[in-house]
Amino acid sequence: MIALSTLKKILERNEERLPLLTLDDFFNGNTAEDSIAPNQWGFGRPTLSEIWNMLQKIELLPNIAWVRVALHDDTEIVENDGTEELVLAGDTIVICTTISPAELEKIVNCKWLYSDGVIKTKLNAYSCVPSIPKNFDCLEIVWD
């Protein structure tokens, strides 16, 4: 999971705009099951480790440039016994690809994810957006 100090530096350099996080920066060491799609956790949504495993496989497909986690505004730094802690809140999964939204819904199995589907997106609100190759679109796996 991204280090608190790293996130603070990113926010400072990018006028407090939340970054798109790599899969490792969001999932590695993250044990807060409700940190993404919290309304579906406990109601059938797969575990974080299952989602991470599936997304790592998706990222290896030849028609995928990259996969990132978009953070929700509920991401916050809280104080716990005098120590600052990062509370990540994932909003969507962003996939840069040449695949159509309908096809990506099948590939990622939105039903299994308890997702509401895949939509095209613009990434103007985020920092740390990787380059988007020519003829690629950014699609989001969305919940709620």
Side-chain angles (χ1 to χ4, degrees):
M1 192 165 79
I2 191 168
L4 174 59
S5 60
T6 302
L7 182 64
K8 281 182 167 183
K9 288 176 189 172
I10 290 170
L11 292 172
E12 186 178 299
R13 287 192 312 253
N14 292 284
E15 300 174 356
E16 300 301 312
R17 287 184 306 139
L18 291 169
L20 291 182
L21 295 183
T22 66
L23 295 178
D24 284 347
D25 280 346
F26 185 82
F27 289 102
N28 192 11
N30 185 352
T31 59
E33 287 292 344
D34 62 349
S35 62
I36 195 161
N39 295 339
Q40 285 73 20
W41 174 243
F43 297 98
R45 195 213 75 208
T47 65
L48 287 179
S49 62
E50 291 171 311
I51 295 170
W52 186 19
N53 184 49
M54 180 271 298
L55 292 172
Q56 287 173 313
K57 291 176 183 171
I58 295 296
E59 196 168 37
L60 297 174
L61 295 175
N63 44 4
I64 304 287
W66 46 262
V67 179
R68 296 291 189 272
V69 178
L71 294 179
H72 191 278
D73 289 339
D74 287 345
T75 295
E76 61 184 342
I77 299 166
V78 297
E79 192 169 313
N80 187 7
D81 290 329
T83 304
E84 287 185 326
E85 293 180 2
L86 176 59
V87 178
L88 285 180
D91 190 28
T92 65
I93 306 297
V94 181
I95 301 173
C96 183
T97 184
T98 57
I99 300 170
S100 72
E103 186 62 25
L104 187 60
E105 281 186 20
K106 293 175 192 170
I107 292 170
V108 300
N109 193 351
C110 283
K111 185 175 180 178
W112 174 74
L113 286 171
Y114 280 67
S115 163
D116 293 321
V118 174
I119 60 171
K120 279 190 179 183
T121 189
K122 300 273 189 214
L123 300 172
N124 302 334
Y126 298 100
S127 66
C128 303
V129 177
S131 64
I132 301 168
K134 185 177 182 181
N135 299 322
F136 277 65
D137 289 313
C138 291
L139 306 179
E140 283 183 302
I141 301 171
V142 297
W143 289 270
D144 294 331

